[in-house]
Amino acid sequence: MIMRGIDYLGERLWGRDYYRRRYYKLAKKMAAAKGFDVYKPNLVWLSDPLYSGALGKVRERGIEGIPNDRCYMLLEIARSLRGIEGHFAECGVRYGKSSLFLMTGAGADSGKCLHVFDSFEGLSDPGPQDVKPGGDLEWSRGDLAVPEEIVRRNLSDFGDRVVLHKGWIPDRFPEVENERFSLVHVDVDLYEPTMAAIEFFYPRVNSGGVILCDDYGSADCPGAKRAIDAFFDDKPENVIGLTSGQSLVIKR
């Protein structure tokens, strides 16, 4: 409430655009002192109506999850795939923030469903491929667990267009073995489930469809990058690392 009051007063005194530029410069200096960065207020995606609407729902419900630049990337890619046949799949849902942006981007009239695969018991056991170069291991079994009922509540707007498959990857994959997909989002942090997800879904993604890995550029998730790089080493597609930390593959 205090920050809203300051914003209101600043915009009334100096005008919205001028106030935002001054506020950004101050925020940039404060962030730089700690080695962080902030978004420029003139970036168009920050005011995209579809994105803003989804972000409003996230804030109302207190949904935690991936950073907003990754959320916009999911929404924008999902929006671009409305004309590509096939459903969406997501491996690793946590609170459902990424799912909400995917389905918002898909659009209510697209007819696409989102098949979500998650244990709802957190991460599985890390393996040797998940060890960082310095020898440290970021994760333990059970980390990032979120109860299924919370996810169902957060995604209730989409009704039966979101299908939750509870279980360890890849145990529930056979339930969709005859489906085709236009987008697959993999966010499981570790090597083995990332590899299992890509191995299963890659041949089921239609030409022009997209495979996204949330953890590819994270130093805390070396196993995810190792799995993606190893799998696509002999494939015709290129792996594109994004500044958001995601990786993008467009199926040929």
Side-chain angles (χ1 to χ4, degrees):
M1 292 296 293
I2 295 175
M3 288 304 300
R4 289 182 181 178
I6 293 174
D7 288 343
Y8 175 79
L9 181 61
E11 290 180 6
R12 288 295 298 270
L13 289 175
W14 296 295
R16 184 174 183 271
D17 291 341
Y18 178 79
Y19 172 72
R20 292 185 74 194
R21 287 196 297 270
R22 291 293 299 271
Y23 194 96
Y24 165 71
K25 290 180 179 179
L26 175 60
K28 185 177 180 180
K29 289 180 180 179
M30 294 174 64
K34 296 295 183 180
F36 297 107
D37 204 352
V38 293
Y39 301 126
K40 290 184 176 180
N42 62 347
L43 291 174
V44 175
W45 67 267
L46 290 170
S47 57
D48 179 282
L50 204 59
Y51 167 78
S52 297
L55 186 61
K57 292 181 180 180
V58 165
R59 289 172 173 168
E60 288 172 5
R61 299 169 191 180
I63 303 175
E64 300 177 24
I66 63 176
N68 290 338
D69 55 347
R70 298 186 202 176
C71 290
Y72 178 77
M73 185 62 67
L74 291 171
L75 183 147
E76 181 65 10
I77 291 174
R79 181 162 48 188
S80 76
L81 294 173
R82 290 179 180 179
I84 301 292
E85 291 292 326
H87 294 303
F88 291 175
E90 183 168 46
C91 301
V93 66
R94 206 180 177 199
Y95 289 99
K97 185 177 181 181
S98 56
S99 310
L100 191 150
F101 281 91
L102 284 172
M103 291 304 289
T104 300
D109 300 328
S110 69
K112 294 182 184 293
C113 292
L114 174 65
H115 291 273
V116 174
F117 297 86
D118 199 292
S119 68
F120 299 102
E121 298 179 33
L123 299 181
S124 54
D125 290 312
Q129 293 279 14
D130 300 305
V131 177
K132 298 180 186 181
D136 294 331
L137 189 61
E138 183 71 21
W139 307 109
S140 299
R141 184 182 181 90
D143 284 348
L144 307 178
V146 175
E148 181 181 356
E149 57 268 24
I150 292 178
V151 176
R152 287 192 179 277
R153 182 192 67 203
N154 289 339
L155 300 179
S156 59
D157 290 355
F158 305 106
D160 58 5
R161 292 180 62 212
V162 174
V163 183
L164 302 186
H165 303 266
K166 183 177 181 179
W168 295 103
I169 290 173
D171 293 350
R172 302 289 298 273
F173 285 172
E175 297 172 13
V176 296
E177 63 183 355
N178 295 321
E179 298 283 357
R180 300 295 298 179
F181 297 90
S182 55
L183 186 149
V184 176
H185 181 226
V186 181
D187 184 7
V188 288
D189 299 275
L190 304 177
Y191 179 89
E192 287 190 8
T194 298
M195 181 63 81
I198 299 301
E199 287 177 340
F200 177 84
F201 283 104
Y202 174 80
R204 293 171 173 83
V205 176
N206 288 327
S207 178
V210 168
I211 300 171
L212 280 160
C213 178
D214 179 75
D215 316 301
Y216 184 83
S218 172
D220 291 336
C221 306
K225 185 177 190 304
R226 288 166 180 161
I228 296 294
D229 288 344
F231 181 84
F232 285 102
D233 183 59
D234 61 351
K235 303 296 186 297
E237 293 86 3
N238 295 318
V239 178
I240 305 169
L242 307 178
T243 57
S244 60
Q246 299 156 300
S247 67
L248 169 70
V249 172
I250 301 174
K251 183 72 180 293
R252 291 190 179 180

